[in-house]
Each structure stands twice: as C-alpha cells, then as structure tokens.
Amino acid sequence: MPSFFITGTDTGVGKTWLTCWLARAWQRQGHTVAALKPISTGGRDDAFCLRDAIGSRLTLDEINPVHFDEPAAPLLAAQAEGRSIDFTALNQGIQAICARFSHSAVEGIGGWRVPLAPGYDVRDWARDLGYSVVVVARGTLGTLNHTVLTVDSVVAAGLICAGVVVNAGPEEAASPDWGSPSRVSPDLDLARGRNVALLRDLLGLPVFELHGRAQASGHVPVWLGGKEI
C-alpha cells in the first residue's frame, strides 16, 4: 500500500496541486485513496481541495485535524493561540486512516524544516510517520540548490526519498486541479527541462515534471504508485 509524505523545498511550491492530481489519477486507476493535510494554518483551502479530489470520502476534520487561524508557521500559530499539537495522537490518527486505503498521500506544511513545535519540525514529523518522502520543487531559477539541499536532508534523516516532482507552476494551471493549461514561453520550457535532466543526474533519483500535458495524460509514474503501462 503506497503511502507518501509530500514535502516541498518551500511553501507555495505546489504540494496541494500534486496531491490532488495524484488522488484523482490513482482513483481513475481503480485505487482507494486517502489524501490528508493534517496541519494547516490560515485558511483551509488546501484541505477543501483534497476533499474534493477524493470525492468526500473523508470528512474535512479527518483530512485536516489540526488547524490554526494564524497564517504563520505552526509553531508560531500555536503559540499565538495558546495551543499545542499532540503529535502522538495526530500520527496515530494519520496511520489509522491511511491503513484503510490502498494509496495515501500525507501533505506536509510549508517546507522541509518548518518548525511545528519547540524542537520539532517537518523533518522530525516525517521521520516519525516513516513514509517515503516526495519532494516538490519549483521549476524556476534556484530550484537546483533548494532541491538538492532538501533531498540531502531527507536522506540524512534516514528516510527514503522516493523522488522529486518539479512543479511547472501557475503559468500552466488555471486551477489547482490543472484543468486548463495555458501557454508557456519556449525559453522557460527549455530551462525547466534542463533543470529536470540535471536533477536526475545530481540526485540519482526519479524526477517527474508536473505540467499541463502530464496532468492531462493521467499517467502516474510507477515510483509514485502508478501502474506499469
């Protein structure tokens, strides 16, 4: 039963877009799917998107059991509200839900080292859950450095990095489910393609470029829980 922890090189890199796309694609292949955003701050838009992607098979509070109103790192948001997160209970709940489905994706919050509690960050959380990690990166200038640093930290934490997804970005997406790709400049497309190829060489890992054409094809790489074709 493939279970992935979806992290990013930064906030806003497209973790939710990837998770929604994976959920829909997995379901089209006949799998049962859980897509979770266990911790959120600010709005709960990401959790609503995930609920829509899996067809309301889980409640909003199952998808997103911990929510803070403050749009800040969870450590700061929790302090602002005088609250804390019980990670033992949270992780048990996540694992219990994922065990009910053939495929599951647990979306982190922010980047890989975002603080969640005193002395505890996203890296620690992923290590406690123990799922294979998928790193989402921007398809823009600077992505090589940020991606390599993040993958190095994942591996140093003793976790399996399943691979990297390079997110083409909002210029190819009219909505979070990538329903209507728009035009991208040839120069940007070429530069991103070169980055993808170089990341494969630098990391020795699968690297998948998520753009409008990939979304429309519905093909999920085998390393992301897809079927052989």
Side-chain angles (χ1 to χ4, degrees):
M1 295 189 295
S3 294
F4 298 103
F5 186 91
I6 312 296
T7 193
T9 56
D10 196 358
T11 191
V13 295
K15 297 187 301 297
T16 302
W17 281 348
L18 169 65
T19 307
C20 286
W21 176 75
L22 271 179
R24 291 188 172 100
W26 282 339
Q27 288 176 119
R28 284 195 295 270
Q29 293 178 350
H31 302 300
T32 60
V33 177
L36 308 180
K37 174 85 173 187
I39 303 171
S40 69
T41 61
R44 300 178 88 181
D45 290 348
D46 290 352
F48 282 113
C49 288
L50 296 182
R51 187 178 66 176
D52 290 345
I54 61 174
S56 300
R57 286 174 175 80
L58 295 169
T59 68
L60 185 64
D61 286 337
E62 286 177 315
I63 294 167
N64 175 218
V66 178
H67 170 67
F68 299 99
D69 293 330
E70 183 81 12
L75 171 63
L76 299 177
Q79 290 174 341
E81 297 183 24
R83 298 165 54 196
S84 62
I85 303 173
D86 182 345
F87 279 96
T88 298
L90 179 65
N91 292 348
Q92 288 175 349
I94 292 168
Q95 291 164 342
I97 289 174
C98 290
R100 292 160 41 195
F101 296 86
S102 68
H103 287 53
S104 56
V106 179
E107 182 186 338
I109 182 166
W112 179 242
R113 296 302 305 275
V114 165
L116 306 177
Y120 193 86
D121 62 16
V122 170
R123 178 182 62 177
D124 300 314
W125 182 30
R127 188 161 44 196
D128 286 345
L129 286 170
Y131 300 141
S132 295
V133 177
V134 175
V135 175
V136 183
R138 287 191 177 93
T140 56
L141 187 66
T143 197
L144 297 175
N145 178 62
H146 296 160
T147 305
V148 172
L149 286 172
T150 302
V151 171
D152 282 351
S153 184
V154 171
V155 174
L159 290 163
I160 294 171
C161 184
V164 173
V165 174
V166 175
N167 180 16
E171 65 273 7
E172 285 203 34
S175 65
D177 65 356
W178 294 72
S180 178
S182 59
R183 290 185 178 181
V184 179
S185 73
D187 289 343
L188 177 60
D189 205 33
L190 177 62
R192 192 169 57 230
R194 287 174 174 170
N195 279 343
V196 168
L198 183 53
L199 280 171
R200 290 192 183 105
D201 290 340
L202 291 172
L203 300 172
L205 292 171
V207 180
F208 174 63
E209 187 180 358
L210 181 60
H211 48 54
R213 294 183 301 279
Q215 188 275 339
S217 76
H219 172 60
V220 181
V222 173
W223 67 269
L224 273 174
K227 294 180 177 179
E228 296 274 9
I229 60 172

